[in-house]
Amino acid sequence: MTPLEALSQKQKRIQSLESIAGLLGWDEQTLLPQDSADQRQDQNATMAAIIHEAKTDPEIGKLLEQIEALPHGPDDTGIQAVLRDARIEYDRATKLPASYVEQHARLCSEAYHAWAAARKNNDFSAFAPYLKRHLELAKEGADYLGWGDRPYDLQIDFHDPGMDAQTIGTLFSGLKKELVPIVQQIIEAPTQARTDIFKGFPIPEQKTFLEEVTASLGFNYKRGRIDISLHPFCSGNGADTRMTTRFDEDNPLDSLFSSIHETGHGLYEQGLPLESLHNALGKAAGMGAHESQSRLWENQVCRSRSFWNHYEPKFRSAFPKQLEGISSDELYLAINSVSKNPIRVDSDEVTYNLHIVIRFEIEKKLFSGELRVEDLPDYWNSQYKELLGIAPRNDAEGVLQDVHWSGGAFGYFPSYCLGNMLAAQLWYTVAEEHSDLEQDFEKGDFSRLLSWLRKNVHAHGARYHLMELSNKATGKELSHTSLIRYLKERYLPLYT
């Protein structure tokens, strides 16, 4: 057995263990009995310790040294990517004490249930101690890993390798400058979407419709499934992809578009090379790349006129009474409604990026110490008032709306906006190559777009990280300009 084969064998074991831990996490948010959380905390901590032990196996370090000593040509990008990510993972794992890893896993489980209860009871003070502890552990982990002077940059790097707060800040600054007046122009336009047409949509019919849509996009239900959770998410890998959504009889678009969003993630996972799930060639390029896939399918594709030319008759057939008297133009405008909504996941794609800018600025201040956890709700509300012109009515609608911080997922939020930027660039790139692509959508055929994404994004795995992937797939540096162009072209003609 060669050193590379021996390394792959150990990586496959780690991947298998991580997939087991992932199923525990999926179950915790979908099916776990309410009073069984304490046992799940122990299970999560145990799995974290086992995975940490596997990742810090000294034999991995020896194998890496042997492989790194071998000559590799400039064209060996696959091996280089495998070694790059394996080295980073091994070095980081060996610098973190097992006790720290277990403590973090246990806190994630405890904090999730505390967040769910706090959100239900509209009580941020009940969640605040867990958020404080997560911040403390994040900074402690940064010290262990040699990032003590840049703890927030480390969090960003976890999700989007190679990115940092300064780079993101520059991208967001340009976006914010051009986006705010667009939002204002749309909000003040005489044409506005009706907000009263989505009432009384039965959940069984919603479920049937969204499953048909997601399957038509290409999601393989023989390798995946969709369930219900408090906060929609996608987990697992291409071999077993788990998605979730949530339902509201008076908001059918929430379940539909959250499902489409998670389907974008699922399609990415199912498009990664199945034989390489254990190394960089079978993993995503980062969360910005991941979000580009979910946002492209959710917005550029499924909010398009061509998509609804095909699916509107099916939607009306599923909900004839509810849509009676609603014209096609009224329905399409409602699907692309733009409003000042305090909830990120319910917001439209025009204002969505401002939600992310707010979270990015807040996270920076939390890590720098400029903002105390206790002051977070008031500061959150003030930022929403300033940037979006709306203040949340309560903490459940405000600072408690997102699940991310309960899992210590700092630095994740910027990925959504980075993904929107990449999604727009990918959209215009594929549209230049296939100018008649939207004719496919009118027939309910999305295979040509999916094939293009498979070739230009999915097949690379993590061979390239976000900025390099942008250049490789679109021929351009990642920028906000394509996103601004897309938003203008899609929305300004609707709001005149």
Side-chain angles (χ1 to χ4, degrees), residues 16 20 33 47 62 82 92 110 131 149 171 182 207 211 252 292 325 333 342-344 347 399 407 442 448 492:
S16 181
I20 295 170
M47 283 304 302
K62 295 177 183 177
V82 169
R92 285 180 174 175
E110 292 176 352
L131 180 55
D149 59 335
L171 288 169
I182 294 174
K207 186 174 186 293
E211 286 179 348
S292 78
L333 189 60
I343 307 295
R344 175 185 64 86
S347 67
V399 70
E442 298 211 358
R448 193 155 47 136
L492 293 187

Side-chain angles (χ1 to χ4, degrees), residues 22 76 144 432 452 466:
D76 295 336
Y144 282 127
E432 288 175 7
W452 190 92
L466 182 62

Side-chain angles (χ1 to χ4, degrees), residues 63-363:
L63 290 170
L64 284 172
E65 290 177 0
Q66 293 176 36
I67 301 169
E68 289 165 343
L70 297 173
H72 300 292
D75 296 329
D76 295 336
T77 57
I79 294 178
Q80 291 171 9
V82 169
L83 291 178
R84 176 201 64 202
D85 286 11
R87 169 57 72 184
I88 291 173
E89 184 173 270
Y90 178 74
D91 287 348
R92 285 180 174 175
T94 54
K95 290 177 182 178
L96 291 176
S99 59
Y100 173 89
V101 174
E102 291 184 51
Q103 186 179 11
H104 183 266
R106 190 180 296 278
L107 176 61
C108 287
S109 187
E110 292 176 352
Y112 168 73
H113 295 285
W115 165 79
R119 185 171 181 264
K120 180 179 179 180
N121 298 323
N122 186 31
D123 182 12
F124 176 76
S125 64
F127 176 64
Y130 298 91
L131 180 55
K132 280 185 182 179
R133 187 64 186 128
H134 262 310
L135 283 166
E136 292 168 357
L137 277 184
K139 293 177 180 180
E140 185 180 340
D143 287 335
Y144 282 127
L145 298 179
W147 291 63
D149 59 335
R150 295 189 297 145
Y152 186 50
D153 281 345
L154 175 63
Q155 298 300 312
I156 291 172
D157 192 79
F158 282 151
H159 302 293
D160 285 298
M163 298 296 285
D164 56 38
Q166 182 175 352
T167 303
I168 292 172
T170 300
L171 288 169
F172 283 12
S173 177
L175 177 66
K176 178 181 174 181
K177 182 179 180 181
E178 295 194 57
L179 184 57
V180 169
I182 294 174
V183 171
Q184 196 65 27
Q185 180 179 343
I186 293 173
I187 293 297
E188 294 177 354
T191 300
Q192 291 295 319
R194 288 183 57 183
T195 59
D196 61 340
I197 66 174
F198 297 116
K199 300 291 184 183
F201 284 65
I203 290 174
E205 284 79 0
Q206 287 190 45
K207 186 174 186 293
T208 299
F209 182 75
L210 70 83
E211 286 179 348
E212 178 184 347
V213 169
T214 54
S216 75
L217 298 180
F219 185 77
N220 181 4
Y221 275 98
K222 293 182 179 179
R223 286 282 194 180
R225 57 182 291 139
I226 188 165
D227 293 274
I228 298 173
S229 69
L230 184 61
H231 192 105
F233 67 92
C234 178
S235 64
N237 52 47
D240 183 359
T241 312
R242 306 295 177 101
M243 306 189 301
T244 70
T245 189
R246 60 191 180 191
F247 292 96
D248 181 345
E249 288 191 345
D250 295 333
N251 190 5
L253 297 186
D254 181 35
S255 61
L256 176 61
F257 282 103
S258 67
S259 299
I260 293 169
H261 179 97
E262 301 310 333
T263 296
H265 286 303
L267 291 173
Y268 190 8
E269 290 295 333
Q270 292 182 345
L272 294 168
L274 199 60
E275 69 278 5
S276 300
L277 294 180
H278 59 289
N279 63 38
L281 301 184
K283 298 182 187 297
M287 289 314 303
H290 232 308
E291 292 299 337
S292 78
Q293 302 305 285
S294 60
R295 299 294 286 176
L296 188 151
W297 287 102
E298 177 188 359
N299 296 322
Q300 276 87 351
V301 177
C302 294
R303 292 187 191 275
S304 69
R305 179 77 74 173
S306 54
F307 175 90
W308 283 98
N309 282 346
H310 175 77
Y311 269 108
E312 181 182 342
K314 295 176 181 290
F315 195 52
R316 288 185 179 277
S317 177
F319 307 103
K321 182 179 179 181
Q322 290 78 6
L323 295 173
E324 185 179 3
I326 305 301
S327 72
S328 292
D329 286 342
E330 287 175 321
L331 177 61
Y332 185 66
L333 189 60
I335 289 166
N336 290 279
S337 170
V338 177
S339 64
K340 296 179 179 180
N341 193 316
I343 307 295
R344 175 185 64 86
V345 296
D346 293 339
S347 67
D348 55 87
E349 62 172 327
V350 182
T351 61
Y352 184 94
N353 297 285
L354 298 180
H355 289 259
I356 301 305
V357 169
I358 289 172
R359 285 156 176 76
F360 172 64
E361 295 296 337
I362 284 175
E363 288 188 335

Side-chain angles (χ1 to χ4, degrees), residues 357-413:
V357 169
I358 289 172
R359 285 156 176 76
F360 172 64
E361 295 296 337
I362 284 175
E363 288 188 335
K364 285 198 301 181
K365 290 180 182 295
L366 285 172
F367 272 84
S368 69
E370 296 176 68
L371 178 62
R372 301 188 313 156
V373 169
E374 293 86 351
D375 299 328
L376 184 51
D378 288 340
Y379 186 76
W380 178 288
N381 294 347
S382 70
Q383 292 304 294
Y384 263 79
K385 189 68 175 177
E386 178 181 332
L387 203 54
L388 283 163
I390 185 172
R393 293 172 298 180
N394 50 53
D395 290 344
E397 193 175 82
V399 70
L400 286 172
Q401 66 181 263
D402 293 307
V403 70
H404 302 61
W405 290 341
S406 72
F410 305 109
Y412 185 120
F413 284 118

